[in-house]
Amino acid sequence: MSSYKIIDHEYDVIVLGAGGSGLRAAVGLSEAGLKTACISKVFPTRSHTSAAQGGISASLGNMGEDDWRWHMYDTVKGSDWLGDQDAIEYMCREAVPSIVELEHYGMPFSRTEDGKIYQRPFGGHMRNFGEAPVQRACAAADRTGHAMLHTLYQQSLKHNAEFFVEYFALDLIMGDDGTCEGVVAWNLDDGTIHVFRGHQIVIATGGYGRSYFSCTSAHTCTGDGNAMALRAGLPLQDMEFVQFHPSGLYRQGILFSEAARGEGAYLLNGKGERFMETYAPSRMELAPRDIVARAEQSEMDAGRGIDGKDMIHLDLRHLGKDRIMERLPQIRQLGIDFLGIDCITDCLPIQPTAHYSMGGIPTDKYSNVILDEEGTRMKGFFAAGECACVSVHGGNRLGTNSLLEAVVFGERAGKSVLEYAVGIDYGNINEAQEKTRVLEKFEDVFQRDGSESYNDIRDEMKEIMMSHCGVFRDEERLKVCIETLNGLQERFKKGKVTDKGKLFNTEIYEILELGNMLSVAQLIATAALRRKESRGGHFRTDFPKRDDENFLHHSMVYGTPDGLVIKPKPVVITKHQPAERTY
């Protein structure tokens, strides 16, 4: 360990992650005058938020009458009644001022002819409590996340937030009283180790889609924050709920936004039929994502995929060149770049693809991390964005609510930090012990000289998660999945490292990510086996009905010396009682 140069830092606040939620927290904190460090393993504008294409939802009413109460109802219904309604109400109320704020920050929204923010329809968004479709998704063409990310990064620079870019967070520093007091990070550029102490910590590290073979997530979405929280003794919530997007590029997973269907694209099976009429006749292609993804998988399983393969056609040809070039330019370019297919003249091959993580680090509606099913807050520790589970999405996320969640709860995390920050000093830690603990684990990876291939382990994890814990699940497949993951965990300890260098060692970087993904994958499969019902993105073919009597609760997964333990946490129901979810 003496070979490592260790550099210590002290800040008022540490923000871990520089996507939409991390940057929005950093903007608020730095604007308020707090000394703020933002740590990211990629350059902020390369964060996965930039991949969000279709829009960010808010009941502005620019394209027809709308109301935040309707938005709330759609979100509750879309969550299959597993979303916490106090948090959902907060998010939908705050949506409009959040959009106005982004506009004032300079976000380049698409505009209507009279200069208002353009809004497009999206799956599951309705007017008057389900009466008819509504245009609620505020869009910047089909590059909305990209536009938002750049806007927030510019604002954070304006207010002098300090960035530590290409720093890989190794583990959280825990205080003597169980509080989170900082983070240890590895600077990829020069191999130095950095210890960041903070009065408060905001974790915003994104999702864990890369646990699956086919996913829309960036390669950086490996569940690092979730795995660190688990190692620190925190529970994770609702990990069984993984959303599969209906339109991932066949065999590659690159996202073709729901904006395409919002603008009027068709889904066609191998017979050229618009098959959604069978599954969601009133909403067709604009049914919620979990329903559309299962419909596509059902068509493919029945042998009605394109040319008998596991793919469906996304047809935009009838929209015409002008509309595609104005509203969907990125989708067209992706088809050309990755397939050599121009969607103006030909259909795009797609398949259901792992897209969004509804589960994560449990928080309340004020972004405070909570320790148990009773909602006990952890002092000085906050989470926001996809790594968190404030449970506005429940069992299934409505399209465009992810960017909204990121900005609303990123801002809320900043406000909560400010409320907590007054009079707070650094907590007590055994600094030498904490540094030793983290560096010994880090060095252990470097010294591994076993016979197992980490690449093989990674590929096998992704394949088993896709085939046995994907769109459709059952007890037999989930048990095989868990057994396989347990075996992969043992093989992971016997891997062989070939690059022993300390400078920008991408092999070690990817091994650390793989360890995090294996931990997360075990939680997903274990929680999925425990939930013997079908709800939202979790569909059990052996339990195809929703079971409110036994499973209208969140799953809190704890890591213990004896294995994973799952405890129920009540769902917050304030206005809308559970009802049948139909479209």
Side-chain angles (χ1 to χ4, degrees), residues 379-576:
K379 292 181 180 180
F381 195 33
F382 308 87
E386 195 173 353
C387 77
C389 184
V390 63
S391 202
V392 289
H393 308 310
N396 171 65
R397 176 179 69 77
L398 284 186
T400 72
N401 271 351
S402 58
L403 289 183
L404 180 62
E405 177 200 23
V407 71
V408 166
F409 290 102
E411 179 189 27
R412 182 63 249 185
K415 287 181 177 179
S416 293
V417 166
L418 291 172
E419 292 168 3
Y420 180 78
V422 179
I424 297 298
D425 203 348
Y426 297 106
N428 295 321
I429 63 169
N430 187 329
E431 192 163 342
Q433 177 179 301
E434 285 296 290
K435 289 179 181 178
T436 300
R437 176 182 64 83
V438 175
L439 291 178
E440 282 182 346
K441 289 169 60 179
F442 187 47
E443 186 64 21
D444 174 62
V445 176
F446 268 104
Q447 300 304 324
R448 288 181 186 173
D449 194 27
S451 58
E452 292 286 352
S453 163
Y454 286 112
N455 289 334
D456 290 346
I457 294 170
R458 183 184 299 105
D459 289 344
E460 290 180 39
M461 172 195 69
K462 290 173 177 284
E463 289 286 359
I464 196 71
M465 289 296 289
M466 201 75 196
S467 61
H468 286 60
C469 193
V471 176
F472 293 119
R473 304 162 174 182
D474 61 50
E475 182 174 353
E476 181 180 351
R477 282 187 288 182
L478 287 170
K479 285 182 175 179
V480 170
C481 183
I482 293 168
E483 183 179 352
T484 302
L485 291 171
N486 288 337
L488 293 176
Q489 284 275 28
E490 292 303 311
R491 289 170 56 190
F492 178 79
K493 300 173 185 176
K494 304 172 185 176
K496 182 176 180 61
V497 176
T498 59
D499 185 352
K500 304 292 185 179
K502 296 292 193 292
L503 305 183
F504 225 101
N505 188 328
T506 56
E507 182 183 10
I508 297 296
Y509 176 103
E510 292 177 358
I511 291 170
L512 293 171
E513 289 182 325
L514 174 59
N516 291 334
M517 285 190 290
L518 282 168
S519 296
V520 168
Q522 282 187 314
L523 267 63
I524 296 171
T526 301
L529 180 63
R530 162 68 170 71
R531 184 172 288 272
K532 297 181 179 181
E533 65 159 357
S534 292
R535 186 186 298 268
H538 169 72
F539 194 92
R540 290 280 298 262
T541 55
D542 47 352
F543 296 96
K545 300 294 184 181
R546 196 178 82 193
D547 182 358
D548 287 346
E549 182 177 349
N550 295 304
F551 291 100
L552 184 61
H553 58 69
H554 301 295
S555 303
M556 298 286 275
V557 188
Y558 298 79
T560 73
D562 298 323
L564 298 177
V565 174
I566 301 177
K567 298 181 180 180
K569 175 175 172 283
V571 176
V572 178
I573 299 173
T574 59
K575 294 185 177 180
H576 302 292

Side-chain angles (χ1 to χ4, degrees), residues 102-374:
L102 288 171
E103 183 182 32
H104 291 179
Y105 281 164
M107 183 167 166
F109 286 105
S110 298
R111 301 284 173 173
T112 63
E113 290 185 1
D114 58 357
K116 295 180 179 179
I117 294 173
Y118 167 70
Q119 296 181 276
R120 60 166 54 105
F122 247 69
H125 289 277
M126 309 284 282
R127 67 180 303 275
N128 201 22
F129 306 104
E131 184 179 275
V134 69
Q135 293 180 236
R136 187 178 288 147
C138 308
D142 58 352
R143 302 186 182 97
T144 311
H146 176 89
M148 189 177 98
L149 194 65
H150 279 258
T151 300
L152 291 173
Y153 182 54
Q154 290 164 359
Q155 288 295 316
S156 60
L157 292 178
K158 175 183 176 181
H159 296 294
N160 299 314
E162 295 182 48
F163 286 88
F164 294 85
V165 177
E166 292 182 337
Y167 280 62
F168 191 102
L170 299 174
D171 238 333
L172 301 173
I173 299 172
M174 303 305 293
D176 295 339
D177 58 352
T179 58
C180 183
E181 298 293 339
V183 63
V184 179
W186 168 38
N187 183 353
L188 297 172
D189 184 52
D190 62 10
T192 54
I193 298 296
H194 294 250
V195 177
F196 293 87
R197 293 290 308 280
H199 300 308
Q200 292 83 224
I201 315 297
V202 178
I203 189 165
T205 50
Y208 38 85
R210 280 286 152 183
S211 300
Y212 285 84
F213 170 72
S214 178
C215 73
T216 64
S217 304
H219 286 274
T220 54
C221 295
T222 52
D224 302 334
N226 303 90
M228 283 189 286
L230 186 69
R231 290 195 294 270
L234 290 167
L236 296 180
Q237 178 174 309
D238 291 345
M239 297 296 287
E240 63 266 43
F241 294 104
V242 176
Q243 182 176 84
F244 281 75
H245 199 287
S247 48
L249 174 61
Y250 176 62
R251 294 294 293 175
Q252 298 186 50
I254 295 167
L255 177 65
F256 289 135
S257 171
E258 191 174 330
R261 288 178 284 126
E263 294 292 340
Y266 299 151
L267 294 175
L268 306 177
N269 62 17
K271 295 182 177 182
E273 301 167 334
R274 288 182 66 189
F275 56 88
M276 283 307 301
E277 186 173 5
T278 303
Y279 301 92
S282 68
R283 298 298 285 129
M284 295 293 286
E285 284 86 359
L286 286 179
R289 290 174 178 171
D290 60 322
I291 293 173
V292 179
R294 285 195 294 274
E296 290 180 348
Q297 192 65 52
S298 296
E299 290 293 302
M300 295 185 296
D301 290 348
R304 294 189 292 271
I306 305 300
D307 298 328
K309 299 178 181 177
D310 284 344
M311 66 179 180
I312 295 294
H313 267 160
L314 181 69
D315 186 2
L316 296 90
R317 295 172 296 178
H318 56 285
L319 300 181
K321 180 178 180 179
D322 291 345
R323 189 171 180 184
I324 290 173
M325 293 303 295
E326 178 187 358
R327 301 281 170 78
L328 305 168
Q330 182 173 239
I331 288 174
R332 178 180 183 243
Q333 197 60 48
L334 287 171
I336 293 171
D337 290 345
F338 287 94
L339 295 171
I341 294 176
D342 188 340
C343 64
I344 293 173
T345 57
D346 295 288
C347 296
L348 296 168
I350 60 170
Q351 66 179 162
T353 303
H355 177 61
Y356 189 84
S357 316
M358 271 79 76
I361 302 168
T363 73
D364 60 21
K365 68 178 181 180
Y366 302 111
S367 296
N368 296 279
V369 171
I370 59 176
L371 295 167
D372 52 39
E373 57 273 21
E374 281 78 37

